[in-house]
Amino acid sequence: MRVVQVAAELAPVAKVGGMGDVMQGLSRALQKMDVDVAIILPKYKSLPSSGIKHLEVIENDLKVPLYNTWHHNTVWKGDIDSLKVFFIESHDSLGLFEGNSIYGGPHELMRFLYFCRATYEFLSQQTETFDILHLHDWHTAALARLFNPEKTKTVLTLHNLSYPGKCQAHDLQAIGLDTAGFEDPDDPTLCNLLRGGIEYADLVTTVSPTYADEMLRGEESLSPMLREHRKKFMGILNGIDYSYWNPEKDPFLPFHYSLHGVSDQKEKLKNHLRNILSLEKNKKPLVASISRLVEQKGPELIKEALLSTLQRGGQFVLLGSSSEERYQKDFQELKSSLAKNKNVYIELTYNEPLSHLVYAAADLFCVPSHFEPCGLTQLIAMRYGTLPLARQTGGLQDTVVDVDDATAPQRQKNGFLFRELTKEALNQTLSRALDYWEKRPDEWKTLIINSMERDSSWNHSSERYYSLYKRLSARASANEGS
Ligand code: ADP
């Protein structure tokens, strides 16, 4: 079985959030099941030169049309860990892949529409065929229509329905598509790339069962469209790559641990983190949050959790990245106002090495999202024996089981949940969690064991994708035969 994955991100070289992790983890898990996986990515200027091995040009002059002008492209092939990746380098006059970041900038929409058309041209010229084209989010959704939907079997995964990829009819025309199927549900003058993807893909998945339910029952613009196509829509829970996120071997950690000796090693790591972040050395609980700072993630609740933790005599580490000026400014002000406080550390950048250390050293990990398609940070935290304090929504609800949930089996309990989107609800749960940490250390240890024993790997979910691929390719063979 040959599967081509097309996406805007791939960890660790091109990662902004969870989609990059999913591309890496799912692809590696599929490879272990003997699926021949190829990944196609734009050759962003911001790609690091290290981390990609055996990089070579395999196509010198791929021609791609945009607004009736043909542009030149170079196609590269390289290996990232064990994954085979094709990179499309564009020599267009707009510098579509030239910016310093993957998203944003004046050409964001055209960057990915062009990437779709280039991927289409590249794959169409290959003699090696593929069974399944797996697309991710609006950035690559147009490919479900560029290829003949009768002939090419496509899966579209929705990582976040709140980014639909709205555009104008002429944007689609620029890459040779008409607007049929792409009509925006809210505004008849606009097109909607996810809508078109949902229309033309053979199967549509999202990243957790609860988020799938929320989208089907909800009032989102695309909810009616999903209800119409509910037979081909399902939620498959994301996993994390257990070889990358591994407290026993993580190269970013100075000390390693498994379940055995977890408490002692975490204590050492906590002291190490306190040292490098110049935090006070004491016996306080360490609460952390690692997040993009955007509305979805509940920045006002992250701030509240930070202030409440300090008030209760704990320590807080916040690693937040944001491209949104208002949050950047807001948290910068918070950081300045707490500059002298030795019990708090706020870093407003994307910092992969530090994130590993924080996941490993913290006691409690705060994820107060307004909504969360799956969420990976709570899974990573649990893998490192750090208990999640999360809002009961989407994938957080599917993965975190509250310690005081009387209906849940003891062995599944692994954290703390709150439902209402209010500061009061957050604070009550934070107090409950810190009470456990202070007064019930044995129960806390049991929760650590439960969280580390939870299987958050890709094993189960990659099998589900595999059986979807099988089903689709069997359907394709049956069509060819008839
Ligand atoms: P989303 O994709 O919505 O941002 P997820 O929870 O699915 O959220 O995935 C977030 C990923 O990005 C995790 O791997 C997390 O560790 C990482 N991440 C988020 N913010 C930062 C940051 N400031 N520094 C380092 N890693 C970050």
Side-chain angles (χ1 to χ4, degrees):
M1 158 113 40
R2 185 152 191 261
V3 176
V4 176
Q5 306 261 6
V6 197
E9 295 184 37
L10 171 66
V13 296
K15 169 174 160 181
V16 176
M19 192 216 284
D21 291 296
V22 170
M23 285 293 293
Q24 178 193 37
L26 173 61
S27 302
R28 294 222 300 214
L30 289 168
Q31 246 182 359
K32 283 192 203 135
M33 303 167 80
D34 267 350
V35 177
D36 177 4
V37 185
I39 298 171
I40 307 186
L41 212 65
K43 194 165 187 299
Y44 303 110
K45 191 180 155 208
S46 55
L47 280 181
S49 49
S50 60
I52 309 172
K53 291 203 187 107
H54 312 124
L55 197 59
E56 56 170 339
V57 173
I58 58 152
E59 160 79 66
N60 239 330
D61 195 15
L62 177 78
K63 294 201 178 59
V64 176
L66 188 70
Y67 296 114
N68 298 324
T69 305
W70 290 85
H71 295 271
H72 300 278
N73 299 266
T74 307
V75 183
W76 300 72
K77 188 174 148 205
D79 297 330
I80 296 179
D81 297 327
S82 58
L83 295 172
K84 179 170 50 175
V85 187
F86 296 98
F87 301 93
I88 297 183
E89 181 185 17
S90 170
H91 306 297
D92 67 275
S93 50
L94 294 170
L96 291 173
F97 302 168
E98 293 283 299
N100 286 326
S101 53
I102 292 175
Y103 302 122
H107 302 305
E108 185 188 59
L109 188 79
M110 204 39 71
R111 178 177 313 140
F112 293 110
L113 283 175
Y114 180 85
F115 172 54
C116 285
R117 182 69 203 223
T119 298
Y120 169 75
E121 297 296 333
F122 171 59
L123 288 175
S124 302
Q125 289 178 14
Q126 299 301 297
T127 45
E128 201 177 7
T129 56
F130 57 89
D131 300 288
I132 304 290
L133 187 63
H134 192 155
L135 311 172
H136 299 266
D137 273 354
W138 71 264
H139 320 99
T140 56
L143 278 159
R145 179 74 187 102
L146 280 166
F147 279 96
N148 182 345
E150 303 290 320
K151 292 197 176 142
T152 302
K153 293 294 159 207
T154 48
V155 178
L156 170 67
T157 296
L158 309 174
H159 295 258
N160 195 331
L161 217 61
S162 60
Y163 300 103
K166 297 204 184 202
C167 63
Q168 310 276 341
H170 64 80
D171 297 321
L172 283 173
Q173 283 150 13
I175 59 161
L177 285 181
D178 60 34
T179 58
F182 287 91
E183 300 85 357
D184 184 58
D186 301 324
D187 183 343
T189 66
L190 290 178
C191 296
N192 185 309
L193 292 167
L194 272 193
R195 186 193 189 282
I198 295 168
E199 174 84 38
Y200 293 111
D202 292 277
L203 287 174
V204 181
T205 69
T206 189
V207 291
S208 71
T210 295
Y211 187 61
D213 273 2
E214 288 169 356
M215 292 304 99
L216 281 172
R217 282 190 272 109
E219 305 285 315
E220 310 296 316
S221 315
L222 289 169
S223 291
M225 180 75 189
L226 288 172
R227 286 194 279 275
E228 198 185 309
H229 290 281
R230 69 188 319 151
K231 278 203 181 130
K232 67 174 186 183
F233 176 57
M234 74 218 69
I236 301 178
L237 197 60
N238 278 340
I240 51 172
D241 187 327
Y242 264 33
S243 52
Y244 184 72
W245 297 109
N246 182 359
E248 289 183 50
K249 292 193 174 136
D250 191 327
F252 295 116
L253 301 185
F255 318 110
H256 295 106
Y257 59 97
S258 58
L259 251 185
H260 183 71
V262 50
S263 304
D264 291 347
Q265 292 299 84
K266 273 179 86 73
E267 207 48 42
K268 273 165 75 181
L269 283 158
K270 205 192 291 189
N271 285 330
H272 174 76
L273 185 73
R274 281 175 172 146
N275 247 338
I276 59 173
L277 303 185
S278 304
L279 288 170
E280 194 177 283
K281 292 215 183 61
N282 54 36
K283 293 261 172 253
K284 294 177 175 187
L286 181 64
V287 185
S289 186
I290 299 173
S291 181
R292 288 184 299 125
L293 295 171
V294 292
E295 196 184 347
Q296 172 198 340
K297 302 291 180 182
E300 76 293 355
L301 294 181
I302 293 176
K303 185 170 164 184
E304 180 69 18
L306 183 151
L307 295 172
S308 297
T309 300
L310 295 181
Q311 232 170 31
R312 283 203 46 141
Q315 290 188 322
F316 203 103
V317 173
L318 168 61
L319 178 55
S321 48
S322 183
S323 51
E324 285 184 44
E325 213 172 294
R326 65 176 165 145
Y327 294 123
Q328 190 71 27
K329 188 164 164 276
D330 200 21
F331 279 91
Q332 193 57 54
E333 275 169 21
L334 182 70
K335 183 177 166 152
S336 307
S337 70
L338 294 166
K340 295 207 175 86
N341 191 324
K342 290 274 180 205
N343 285 308
V344 63
Y345 178 84
I346 300 176
E347 180 165 323
L348 300 176
T349 58
Y350 184 92
N351 186 336
E352 185 77 21
L354 180 60
S355 76
H356 290 240
L357 209 45
V358 174
Y359 282 122
D363 296 298
L364 191 64
F365 192 88
C366 188
V367 199
S369 305
H370 291 197
F371 71 93
E372 195 56 77
C374 178
L376 299 181
T377 59
Q378 82 282 11
L379 301 182
I380 303 168
M382 285 193 273
R383 171 94 166 125
Y384 286 76
T386 300
L387 304 185
L389 184 168
R391 175 135 189 279
Q392 195 172 355
T393 181
L396 297 171
Q397 175 169 328
D398 290 335
T399 54
V400 180
V401 180
D402 192 284
V403 59
D404 292 323
D405 180 348
T407 63
Q410 290 300 333
R411 289 202 52 188
Q412 285 179 13
K413 296 179 177 180
N414 55 23
F416 304 87
L417 285 171
F418 66 100
R419 187 181 279 280
E420 298 303 318
L421 192 57
T422 60
K423 290 181 179 170
E424 292 70 34
L426 167 89
N427 280 328
Q428 266 176 17
T429 306
L430 181 65
S431 284
R432 194 157 57 85
L434 294 178
D435 276 349
Y436 264 94
W437 186 88
E438 279 159 17
K439 298 173 191 153
R440 300 161 86 165
D442 289 341
E443 284 164 86
W444 190 273
K445 270 185 201 146
T446 306
L447 290 175
I448 291 182
I449 294 170
N450 292 352
S451 70
M452 288 181 79
E453 282 187 339
R454 183 184 190 281
D455 183 3
S456 304
S457 74
W458 271 104
N459 288 347
H460 183 61
S461 297
S462 60
E463 274 173 25
R464 291 208 54 202
Y465 277 106
Y466 184 71
S467 60
L468 289 187
Y469 296 158
K470 275 266 186 224
R471 215 167 82 201
L472 269 189
S473 54
R475 223 193 278 169
S477 316
N479 287 350
E480 270 167 28
S482 61

